[in-house]
Amino acid sequence: MSKKVHVQTNINGESVDFLCEPRNSLLEVLRDELDLTGAKEGCNNGNCGACNVIMDGRLVNSCCVLGVEADGCELTTIEGVGSAANLHPLQQKFLEHAALQCGICTPGFIVSAKALLDRNPNPSEDEVRYWLAGNLCRCTGYDKIVRAVLDARNGA
Amino acid sequence: MSQNGHKVIGTRPIRHDGVDKVTGRAIYGADIQLTGLLYGAIKRSPHPHARIKHIDTSRAEAHPGVRAVVTAHDLPQIADKIADLGEAIVNLRDSSNNVLAYGKVLYKGHAVAGVAAINLHVAQEAVELIDVEYELLPHVTGVLEAMEDGAPILHEDMKTTSMGEETDKVSNIANHFQHKMGEPDDGFAEADVVIEREFTTQTVHQGYIESHNATALWNEEGQLTVWTSTQGAFAVRDQLAEILQMPVSKVKIVPLEIGGGFGGKISVYLDPVAALLSKKTGHPVKMTMTRDEVFEATGPTPGSYLKVKMGATSDGRLTAATAYMAYEAGAYPGSPVGAGAGCIFTPYDIPNVQIDGYDVCVNKPKTNAYRAPGATNAAYASETVVDEICEKIGMDPLEFRVKNGAKEGGRRADGPVHPRIGCIETTQAALNSEHYQSTLEKTANGKVRGRGVASGYWFNFNGGRSAISVSINPDGTINMLEGSTDIGGSRASIAMQLAETIGLEATDIKPYVVDTDSIGYTDVTGGSRTTFGTGYAAHATGLALIREIKERASKLWDVPADAIDFADGVFSYKDDAEKRGTFKEVASQAGDAGGPVVAQVSTNPDGSGGGAFATHVVDVEVDRETGKVDILRYTAVQDAGTAIHPSYVEGQMQGGVVQGIGWGLNEEYIYNDEGSMTNASFLDYRMPTTLDLPMIETIIVEVPNESHPYGVRGVGEVPIVPPPAALSNAIYDATGVRLRDLPMSPPRVQKAVAENGG
């Protein structure tokens, strides 16, 4: 085992320090060190998007980022998108449209969709489908997910 | 108020567990953390078929941070015992050997040993330090090759059962069965058109996004607790008790949220290994599979070979049908060929039918249920042949299906007589749909377009044990405990049925999925049974609560209980207008008249209800240069009996369609000559993404199921059945080329079109 490294980040608006081994992925750190288990492991190689987080404004697969690479970064995880008392419009629309079944992919989809709406508040259906193609859902066939995102657009 | 006079059923409330799931707070199997937790990993076979000569675990045990290593020698060796897991029937001896290989490995990825260590990385390092000496054996991965004389034999002691009798023949064919009705030869003699074709399908995976996981704690008193994601907590409990040879009362399963299953999360894989490692170390041990382990070492659904022959008169009446169905069981017997045989011709009323099914072992992982197991393979063959017959006799394929549709009183080839079913209503709704009545331009953008239809059937398990336990809170709301794990919104659909029965809102019911020590035995969430069967129990629970509240009101109001009415959610006494109240009003006072109000109900319906039928319409655009097939429009029509929460009925239909599209166009296990799957990742095993699809239109038909108080039919499984055949028929309409091998991936379509000059 190698020495642990001290990493300083800002996660969901709060300063967070942690220690991790150089080989630990950001996803492992979030889940196992910081108890932020909203990011899910579906594949651990960047194909399913269930672990997606926003890192300095960029959407990333947290399984493909090392924990040490987060040093000095601002991170938004699903836990920072909204809360039960103050749901993000995407979260509210996912509920209204029944855009989840088992729900394991849902945090990744909501984080990804937030990253899209942050840069393009009014995407077309094609743009939504293109952007979300990095997130796999096996339950819904995507219909209700795409509708929920379209309905969460500004002016929708 | 919704239709049929219901207040709650047919509405679309927000699901009870929704907020937790959109905020990342819901706890899935891999999310659990326990004090002193160790992490486990599995050593797997790199060979598809080999004898284990020796396992040396000494280097792994000496590795810093490793706490224990286990092999099959740590498992009790158990005798043959057949168990019905709800969607699959298994031999528990095979299950044990599948959990940790004993004597032989039968597929690449077969588990050989387990390790527990202080973290996952150390456990994975230790796995590499386990030395296994193998004697390699020849392997076989194709179903037809495995049936040949001289094929490598997986189980030297397995004799073929044929037509219900064990023979002396040792072969990979575990079982051959036959269903026969009428005289097919006579039926074909009456036909004007007879079509016979061969089909192949490849191994595909359920593809749930959450990997298998299990966290076990075997405490010093011998009590085993396992936290896991499963479709059936009691099925896991019973399998563990058998595999570990311990009393069922010593095993408790805590079902955490489950990230998809589709039939694949009923069998146990990691759970017994985690239990053994916990017993050895005294610590809780968490195990999760990597994605390649999920592909290579859990239960996909089989590849198959089918030969189907059907005959019809020139005026469009089916006279006879036969099918030869050979399905890969994987490493141990038990493919879903029996289910496929029960479904293959069931959308039709055919007087003369013969079906021969073969369950065949091959050096691939033991197959498992996948959404209407066996039926999709079957429909790919039969529904493509039907399309060809319709073309030959010049009849619209949906009018043909209406004319020949199965109906009440008709018989399935495997025996049962249909009760009230919605086969013809479903096909008629597809025929009348705006989609089917619309015109499709046959060429655009230099590509060709076509339309295809197909139907499908799935039995639905209209039975099974379900338990519900409720308590009434002082504010009149209800805590509802259930044993059915919620894989896609069943907390809501079950709570809604209780709410409907007692006149409350869906939000007045708080549903909880609880552990196996806290609720009565409940069968798996599978077989499209949960909203039917546990909803049946919810209705019975509502009736029990009404009886109990009447007893309490009798004391509060000082009138006879049998003189109290309950209607439209209100209890009343006809002779005194003051003596009345809503369920909530009376229930909130009822605790003063005899203590807290609780009720426990268990039910086990007789299974007589009819199954589910679906008919799908799809428009495709085919690029002849590349073979790529794009879906332009898709409409799924299905009989739901009564749609409890229509959004989740639509969701099941849409999800099933898209899994069927993946199966039809892209998904397959690709094996190399060494018997190794070469595409065990989500990058190379190509499941549909948002970009591959349009919206999926749905039409819900409601022909009530007479064996359920609200008319519910299971809806989850049948929507996966028609898509591959509907796509094949649409590709034919576009290109003039029939594709009879799945998947109809771009290279295959391109080759077929080029060879046929299409």
Side-chain angles (χ1 to χ4, degrees):
Chain A
M1 267 181 289
S2 48
K3 261 189 177 171
K4 288 192 173 182
V5 179
H6 179 208
V7 178
Q8 292 183 298
T9 60
N10 182 296
I11 302 181
N12 301 327
E14 301 208 3
S15 294
V16 177
D17 285 22
F18 58 81
L19 295 173
C20 73
E21 291 181 45
R23 65 180 170 184
N24 288 136
S25 71
L26 176 58
L27 176 62
E28 282 181 275
V29 171
L30 291 173
R31 290 179 54 80
D32 296 339
E33 299 294 324
L34 304 177
D35 286 336
L36 294 169
T37 56
K40 304 300 182 189
E41 180 184 317
C43 65
N44 215 27
N45 56 12
N47 289 317
C48 79
C51 67
N52 282 2
V53 301
I54 298 170
M55 185 169 172
D56 286 343
R58 277 180 62 207
L59 182 65
V60 298
N61 301 128
S62 65
C63 71
C64 293
V65 175
L66 292 171
V68 293
E69 290 181 281
D71 193 43
C73 292
E74 280 193 23
L75 298 165
T76 302
T77 70
I78 185 64
E79 289 86 352
V81 173
S83 62
N86 187 23
L87 292 175
H88 187 279
L90 280 162
Q91 293 169 318
Q92 183 62 36
K93 294 303 177 187
F94 266 63
L95 293 176
E96 290 173 10
H97 284 268
L100 61 149
Q101 285 178 30
C102 81
I104 193 86
C105 71
T106 308
F109 266 98
I110 288 174
V111 168
S112 296
K114 179 180 186 303
L116 170 62
L117 297 185
D118 285 350
R119 67 177 60 196
N120 177 3
N122 199 20
S124 66
E125 182 184 334
D126 279 351
E127 287 170 327
V128 170
R129 287 188 180 275
Y130 187 80
W131 184 269
L132 294 180
N135 289 76
L136 292 175
C137 168
R138 193 61 158 172
C139 294
T140 65
Y142 305 108
D143 180 298
K144 294 182 190 303
I145 292 174
V146 173
R147 287 180 200 276
V149 175
L150 292 173
D151 201 16
R153 292 177 300 191
N154 279 351
Chain B
M1 181 165 301
S2 139
Q3 58 186 333
N4 302 327
H6 295 316
K7 289 184 175 145
V8 179
I9 289 172
T11 64
R12 302 175 187 240
I14 287 175
R15 61 194 279 173
H16 303 77
D17 51 332
V19 169
D20 276 353
K21 287 180 177 169
V22 298
T23 55
R25 295 220 161 264
I27 302 299
Y28 290 77
D31 298 340
I32 188 162
Q33 294 291 347
L34 296 170
T35 304
L37 190 62
L38 299 175
Y39 293 79
I42 298 274
K43 173 77 172 180
R44 297 185 182 278
S45 168
H47 309 297
H49 197 191
R51 217 172 293 285
I52 300 171
K53 305 286 281 184
H54 182 66
I55 304 174
D56 181 354
T57 59
S58 58
R59 287 200 304 147
E61 283 162 348
H63 190 57
V66 171
R67 294 290 179 264
V69 181
V70 295
T71 69
H73 293 287
D74 295 286
L75 278 175
Q77 284 308 303
I78 60 178
D80 286 327
K81 182 171 179 183
I82 303 301
D84 184 350
L85 302 182
E87 280 223 293
I89 292 171
V90 300
N91 183 330
L92 289 163
R93 184 182 69 146
D94 294 343
S95 299
S96 175
N97 291 343
N98 198 30
V99 163
L100 285 170
Y102 184 80
K104 269 171 83 171
V105 290
L106 297 170
Y107 55 94
K108 183 187 176 243
H110 200 158
V112 173
V115 177
I118 55 168
N119 68 43
L120 181 59
H121 296 283
V122 173
Q124 287 170 338
E125 288 165 359
V127 159
E128 299 304 317
L129 299 173
I130 296 173
D131 300 304
V132 186
E133 189 187 332
Y134 294 102
E135 175 194 339
L136 300 191
L137 300 169
H139 67 273
V140 60
T141 53
V143 64
L144 292 180
E145 294 85 342
M147 294 172 80
E148 287 171 6
D149 284 336
I153 296 292
L154 274 77
H155 303 283
E156 290 91 350
D157 59 348
M158 189 181 82
K159 291 172 180 164
T160 300
T161 298
S162 183
M163 312 287 273
E165 307 268 335
E166 188 179 291
T167 68
D168 288 333
K169 176 134 176 109
V170 172
S171 84
N172 292 319
I173 303 171
N175 187 26
H176 162 228
F177 62 86
Q178 185 180 88
H179 302 308
K180 193 170 179 193
M181 183 164 76
E183 286 300 333
D185 287 346
D186 297 349
F188 286 121
E190 290 169 36
D192 300 305
V193 174
V194 176
I195 303 283
E196 182 173 27
R197 301 292 181 217
E198 295 175 273
F199 298 83
T200 63
T201 77
Q202 300 303 316
T203 305
V204 294
H205 199 273
Q206 298 84 351
Y208 31 78
I209 307 302
E210 179 203 44
S211 298
H212 292 255
N213 59 78
T215 302
L217 175 59
W218 195 316
N219 75 10
E220 288 167 0
E221 284 124 33
Q223 171 71 43
L224 172 63
T225 304
V226 176
W227 295 260
T228 187
S229 309
T230 175
Q231 292 176 243
F234 288 91
V236 171
R237 185 192 70 175
D238 292 358
Q239 289 175 83
L240 275 175
E242 291 287 350
I243 290 170
L244 299 170
Q245 292 288 292
M246 60 196 295
V248 87
S249 56
K250 287 287 190 187
V251 184
K252 178 171 89 171
I253 307 301
V254 185
L256 302 173
E257 296 297 343
I258 172 171
F262 313 108
K265 287 195 187 145
I266 298 171
S267 297
V268 297
Y269 301 99
L270 299 173
D271 313 60
V273 183
L276 290 175
L277 289 167
S278 178
K279 187 180 186 183
K280 268 201 172 179
T281 60
H283 283 259
V285 176
K286 182 198 274 194
M287 304 189 81
T288 57
M289 284 195 191
T290 60
R291 180 52 53 177
D292 56 326
E293 289 183 297
V294 173
F295 276 116
E296 295 194 323
T298 65
T301 218
S304 55
Y305 163 86
L306 297 100
K307 185 158 70 177
V308 166
K309 182 177 177 184
M310 298 178 83
T313 58
S314 55
D315 64 347
R317 177 62 64 187
L318 279 165
T319 59
T322 60
Y324 175 101
M325 310 169 69
Y327 281 36
E328 295 168 2
Y332 300 96
S335 78
V337 65
C343 293
I344 183 163
F345 299 125
T346 301
Y348 305 97
D349 184 11
I350 313 175
N352 306 292
V353 176
Q354 182 174 322
I355 300 164
D356 286 273
Y358 296 84
D359 184 35
V360 184
C361 291
V362 296
N363 292 114
K364 291 182 179 179
K366 163 73 177 73
T367 58
N368 228 322
Y370 175 22
R371 203 168 201 154
T376 305
N377 313 45
Y380 179 57
S382 55
E383 290 296 294
T384 310
V385 169
V386 166
D387 202 63
E388 219 173 315
I389 287 178
C390 293
E391 185 200 4
K392 287 275 188 311
I393 63 173
M395 192 165 177
D396 177 280
L398 289 182
E399 285 175 4
F400 181 88
R401 283 172 171 81
V402 170
K403 181 167 183 170
N404 290 282
K407 49 186 176 291
E408 187 171 0
R411 224 190 101 196
R412 288 199 328 239
D414 58 329
V417 173
H418 292 300
R420 184 84 178 89
I421 50 174
C423 177
I424 292 173
E425 290 85 345
T426 302
T427 314
Q428 188 67 51
L431 180 57
N432 297 345
S433 67
E434 190 274 327
H435 180 176
Y436 196 65
Q437 294 298 325
S438 69
T439 306
L440 178 68
E441 294 295 331
K442 295 303 286 284
T443 56
N445 317 316
K447 299 174 187 171
V448 290
R449 295 176 163 190
R451 175 170 294 166
V453 301
S455 296
Y457 168 76
W458 177 250
F459 311 96
N460 289 353
F461 183 30
N462 289 294
R465 294 156 286 182
S466 290
I468 284 188
S469 175
V470 292
S471 54
I472 296 185
N473 295 311
D475 59 2
T477 61
I478 291 180
N479 300 327
M480 183 188 92
L481 314 188
E482 56 169 317
S484 285
T485 50
D486 181 355
I487 204 158
S490 59
R491 282 185 185 86
S493 67
I494 292 160
M496 287 170 74
Q497 292 179 68
L498 175 58
E500 182 74 45
T501 310
I502 58 180
L504 294 191
E505 303 289 330
T507 47
D508 293 326
I509 315 292
K510 296 198 292 175
Y512 298 92
V513 178
V514 295
D515 67 70
T516 53
D517 280 1
S518 304
I519 190 76
Y521 191 99
T522 298
D523 278 311
V524 298
T525 295
S528 297
R529 71 168 288 277
T530 305
T531 296
F532 171 91
T534 306
Y536 192 102
H539 173 260
T541 303
L543 298 182
L545 282 175
I546 291 166
R547 281 195 299 274
E548 181 62 22
I549 300 290
K550 283 183 178 174
E551 291 294 333
R552 304 299 180 96
S554 154
K555 290 178 189 155
L556 291 168
W557 295 344
D558 197 22
V559 301
D562 58 10
I564 297 172
D565 283 329
F566 180 72
D568 295 329
V570 175
F571 291 95
S572 60
Y573 175 63
K574 61 179 169 25
D575 294 337
D576 185 346
E578 295 287 305
K579 288 174 175 168
R580 59 181 285 117
T582 63
F583 185 96
K584 256 192 191 179
E585 287 165 350
V586 184
S588 62
Q589 302 161 26
D592 299 336
V597 182
V598 298
Q600 288 189 322
V601 168
S602 72
T603 53
N604 189 6
D606 67 8
S608 65
F613 291 86
T615 295
H616 293 184
V617 182
V618 62
D619 295 347
V620 301
E621 184 172 88
V622 183
D623 184 332
R624 285 174 295 194
E625 302 284 313
T626 64
K628 184 165 189 294
V629 176
D630 286 321
I631 303 199
L632 301 172
R633 187 173 181 187
Y634 203 108
T635 300
V637 188
Q638 185 176 324
D639 175 21
T642 299
I644 300 294
H645 191 309
S647 295
Y648 286 99
V649 174
E650 294 160 4
Q652 288 294 323
M653 293 165 70
Q654 292 161 337
V657 164
V658 168
Q659 286 188 318
I661 288 171
W663 195 339
L665 295 183
N666 283 302
E667 295 177 31
E668 64 177 315
Y669 277 41
I670 300 170
Y671 280 87
N672 62 17
D673 291 343
E674 284 75 51
S676 181
M677 182 188 185
T678 60
N679 61 330
S681 77
F682 276 148
L683 183 65
D684 299 316
Y685 182 90
R686 182 69 169 77
M687 307 199 310
T689 71
T690 43
L691 202 51
D692 301 316
L693 299 159
M695 295 297 185
I696 307 297
E697 297 166 48
T698 57
I699 298 173
I700 300 172
V701 174
E702 294 186 297
V703 177
N705 182 353
E706 291 175 347
S707 70
H708 185 278
Y710 292 119
V712 172
R713 282 184 208 281
V715 299
E717 290 176 286
V718 76
I720 199 174
V721 179
L727 288 163
S728 176
N729 296 337
I731 292 168
Y732 172 76
D733 189 44
T735 64
V737 179
R738 293 255 175 221
L739 284 125
R740 302 190 183 94
D741 301 292
L742 289 182
M744 299 174 289
S745 52
R748 275 216 178 105
V749 174
Q750 190 275 336
K751 185 163 176 279
V753 169
E755 285 172 356
N756 289 277

